[in-house]
Amino acid sequence: MVLKRRVAALAAVAVLVLTPAVASCSDDGGTSSDQGTQTTAPAATDRPADPVAAKAEITKNWTAFFDPKTPAAERVELLENGEQMAPVLAAFSGDKNAAMTSAKVTGVEFTSPTNANVTYDLLVGGNPALPDAKGTSVLQNDTWKVSVTTLCGLVQLSGATVPGC
């Protein structure tokens, strides 16, 4: 059963690469990264001025980004460099596996005032398909967004190759 859910999750992620309009998954200079979890508490300078509000926004935005009911235009706004990634996001719209995929944020750890490590469960039909997945969130244009690095990591996990990822 776990294998079946993993396959469904990977199939949903693979949908991201079905569009020929995909030109790049570049994170535009490496402003985000998927670093390992820190073992010590971050210093006050390693987090935003209001970490509680930032964590709430990250959780809200990640949940919305991975929610199949979220309109494409809103997803663009919730993804780092979203305008460049719009063709990739458009590939989600008609796939039945993507329509069953969502995410639940289980942890946020700030690495700087504008970057955070995010732990989340990728769900298919409400069941964990990729539990304890690791990603990053970046503060861009005063909004905490899912990083391109995270999206490209999911694409790579699907076994697909996308230029720039």
Side-chain angles (χ1 to χ4, degrees):
M1 185 65 145
V2 172
L3 179 59
K4 186 175 182 179
R5 287 192 303 248
R6 285 186 187 264
V7 169
L10 294 176
V13 171
V15 169
L16 296 173
V17 297
L18 294 178
T19 178
V22 175
S24 171
C25 280
S26 172
D27 67 359
D28 201 27
T31 58
S32 62
S33 64
D34 285 326
Q35 300 173 0
T37 304
Q38 292 179 330
T39 56
T40 59
T45 57
D46 289 345
R47 60 181 185 229
D50 188 348
V52 173
K55 181 178 179 179
E57 183 180 346
I58 289 168
T59 300
K60 177 180 146 263
N61 291 352
W62 270 62
T63 301
F65 178 79
F66 286 101
D67 184 339
K69 296 175 188 156
T70 300
E74 188 176 333
R75 284 184 187 202
V76 166
E77 296 299 317
L78 298 174
L79 178 64
E80 176 187 24
N81 302 327
E83 290 296 325
Q84 295 171 359
M85 300 300 293
V88 175
L89 296 177
F92 271 121
S93 62
D95 183 75
K96 68 176 184 169
N97 289 321
M100 298 178 359
T101 304
S102 61
K104 177 184 177 188
V105 173
T106 59
V108 175
E109 185 173 353
F110 296 101
T111 58
S112 77
T114 60
N115 290 283
N117 290 331
V118 179
T119 303
Y120 64 102
D121 294 336
L122 191 64
L123 309 171
V124 175
N127 297 310
L130 293 174
D132 297 321
K134 305 290 184 201
T136 56
S137 186
V138 297
L139 184 64
Q140 186 179 56
N141 301 325
D142 296 323
T143 301
W144 283 98
K145 301 180 178 192
V146 174
S147 71
V148 168
T149 302
T150 298
L151 181 63
C152 287
L154 289 170
V155 169
Q156 290 172 351
L157 183 62
S158 75
T161 303
V162 176
C165 278

